Amino acid sequence: MKNVTPLLLGLLFGVVSPGWSQGGQPLVVMECQGKIKYYAPEGKPVNVISGLLIDPEGTLKIKDGSNLQVLSGAKVVPIDQAGKVKVQDMLPTKSQGMSLGFSTDFLTMVQSTMKTSARPPGTLIGRKGAGGEETPPPTSTGRKGAGGEEVPPPTSTGKKGAGGEEIPPPTSTGKKGMGYGLSMVNWNFPLKGKIYAASDPLFFSWEGYVEGEGPWVFTIKDAKTNSEVFKKDTPDQYLSLTTIQAKLTIGNTYVWKVSNAKMPASALKAFEFTLTQESTEKDIMEAVEMEDQYQSAGLVQKLLWEAYAYEQAGFLYKADNLHKKALAMEPDNWLAVQLYSAFWGRNW
């Protein structure tokens, strides 16, 4: 796939949290349907949820009609056998080999991210007390942005996402969680990276990125010549523009920034974006749809595959919107919560 930078395969076998048996690397639960309990080699049982790490030496108690998918190495393995089964017995007995390509890139990223992420809170896995500490809902990535700036606090823009689609309303996951991903749906990722605008206006928002009150001075410059192509004063912390209004051309790269009209020297960090042809965006989706493991994934997991593909191709704003769609559909999906937090850490 074009424009996808392979990740180092060595990340697949990263540092393992203490407490795992010597039977193998921890497995990531990619998705789970129905009621399933996980019994670690030592410890009390917990509810299986997406994003949970399980030991191959552990045991699953699966009710009729329930199923899950686990990430083992670079292979997503479905498990749908009812009853009490040992995890190791459900895994392929022979190595499937290591195939290079987008599938391996995505699954390697999932492995390395989830192994270093926070454990699911007790409210999600049905376990409190020792070993089941409550984890506060994520409110920031905890990382600094380019130039040392702190990641701005998440705020609600009340606007449409990339491409103009409305973020879908949350749906029930069938679990008694706390909507950990709900606040993340309103995180205000800046318009940056490659963008296919079509006939929809571009939505620029700096809500939560600046202090004080407006009016604000919004400018767009050509990235190559540094010449100003658009400028406007506005009392709001957002601006919606068509490519015609802003005098933007497909194929060109631009930089936008904003400053307080009362303090013009205090400009927000600049964000770069490039307008692309529709075919460029379509090629990404066509390549993802060819992946066998993507085809067998559930809806939320598919959105996470797509988000990573667009991210690697440089369509960051589109990738952000896909993460938000996944979280809006299942706000307690711990895999989606942690992957979106990692997305911000990589791209802010």
Side-chain angles (χ1 to χ4, degrees):
M1 176 178 169
K2 296 180 180 179
N3 298 321
V4 175
T5 303
L7 297 175
L8 292 176
L9 298 181
L11 290 176
L12 182 59
F13 303 105
V15 177
V16 181
S17 300
W20 295 109
S21 72
Q22 296 179 356
Q25 300 290 328
L27 310 176
V28 180
V29 177
M30 298 296 287
E31 59 185 62
C32 175
Q33 300 294 331
K35 295 183 178 180
I36 305 175
K37 288 281 188 181
Y38 165 65
Y39 297 76
E42 296 180 4
K44 296 180 180 180
V46 297
N47 297 327
V48 175
I49 63 169
S50 299
L52 181 70
L53 293 183
I54 62 177
D55 193 317
E57 294 297 316
T59 303
L60 296 169
K61 188 176 181 181
I62 306 173
K63 287 199 172 184
D64 288 339
S66 301
N67 61 80
L68 71 158
Q69 292 185 7
V70 297
L71 175 57
S72 175
K75 182 73 173 178
V76 178
V77 181
I79 301 176
D80 56 8
Q81 180 177 320
K84 203 165 187 178
V85 297
K86 192 169 183 179
V87 178
Q88 186 67 57
D89 294 340
M90 297 294 101
L91 304 178
T93 55
K94 295 182 179 180
S95 174
Q96 300 294 319
M98 182 71 74
S99 60
L100 299 178
F102 171 69
S103 178
T104 297
D105 292 345
F106 171 68
L107 297 175
T108 297
M109 180 277 294
V110 172
Q111 280 274 17
S112 59
T113 298
M114 298 310 296
K115 287 182 183 178
T116 57
S117 296
R119 291 180 298 173
T123 51
L124 292 186
I125 59 177
R127 180 180 176 187
K128 295 182 179 180
E133 304 85 350
E134 295 295 335
T135 302
T139 54
S140 71
T141 64
R143 300 185 183 185
K144 294 185 177 181
E149 304 90 339
E150 292 291 344
V151 174
T155 57
S156 173
T157 62
K159 300 296 179 179
K160 295 181 179 181
E165 306 93 338
E166 293 288 351
I167 300 296
T171 57
S172 173
T173 63
K175 298 183 183 296
K176 296 180 179 180
M178 299 178 65
Y180 286 94
L182 286 179
S183 64
M184 302 175 81
V185 173
N186 292 318
W187 283 12
N188 187 18
F189 190 76
L191 188 148
K192 63 188 294 189
K194 298 177 184 177
I195 295 174
Y196 168 60
S199 58
D200 297 312
L202 298 171
F203 182 68
F204 302 88
S205 174
W206 50 98
E207 183 181 1
Y209 292 66
V210 293
E211 296 181 357
E213 298 181 354
W216 310 98
V217 180
F218 174 86
T219 59
I220 299 177
K221 292 185 178 182
D222 187 289
K224 290 184 178 180
T225 65
N226 200 38
S227 58
E228 188 176 280
V229 296
F230 183 86
K231 183 176 182 179
K232 184 175 182 177
D233 291 2
T234 175
D236 302 314
Q237 292 186 344
Y238 57 86
L239 192 62
S240 184
L241 296 170
T242 65
T243 55
I244 296 177
Q245 290 174 323
K247 300 178 182 179
L248 306 177
T249 304
I250 292 177
N252 287 1
T253 299
Y254 301 93
V255 174
W256 72 272
K257 64 180 180 179
V258 66
S259 61
N260 193 306
K262 300 175 184 178
M263 299 178 290
S266 59
L268 174 73
K269 65 172 285 191
F271 298 104
E272 188 174 281
F273 67 98
T274 304
L275 298 183
T276 69
Q277 298 281 355
E278 180 181 13
S279 59
T280 307
E281 185 178 274
K282 282 186 174 180
D283 288 345
I284 299 168
M285 195 62 222
E286 290 175 359
V288 176
E289 290 174 339
M290 293 175 62
E291 298 286 344
D292 292 339
Q293 299 190 81
Y294 166 84
Q295 295 173 16
S296 62
L299 182 56
V300 170
Q301 188 189 152
K302 281 184 175 178
L303 288 171
L304 299 177
W305 279 77
E306 295 166 17
Y308 188 68
Y310 280 105
E311 176 191 352
Q312 292 300 287
F315 286 81
L316 302 180
Y317 199 60
K318 177 75 173 181
D320 176 78
N321 189 56
L322 291 168
H323 275 292
K324 286 184 169 72
K325 282 186 175 181
L327 287 166
M329 292 183 67
E330 292 187 6
D332 286 327
N333 188 309
W334 199 245
L335 179 68
V337 167
Q338 294 302 317
L339 292 190
Y340 186 43
S341 180
F343 167 83
W344 266 76
R346 291 191 298 268
N347 296 294
W348 160 244

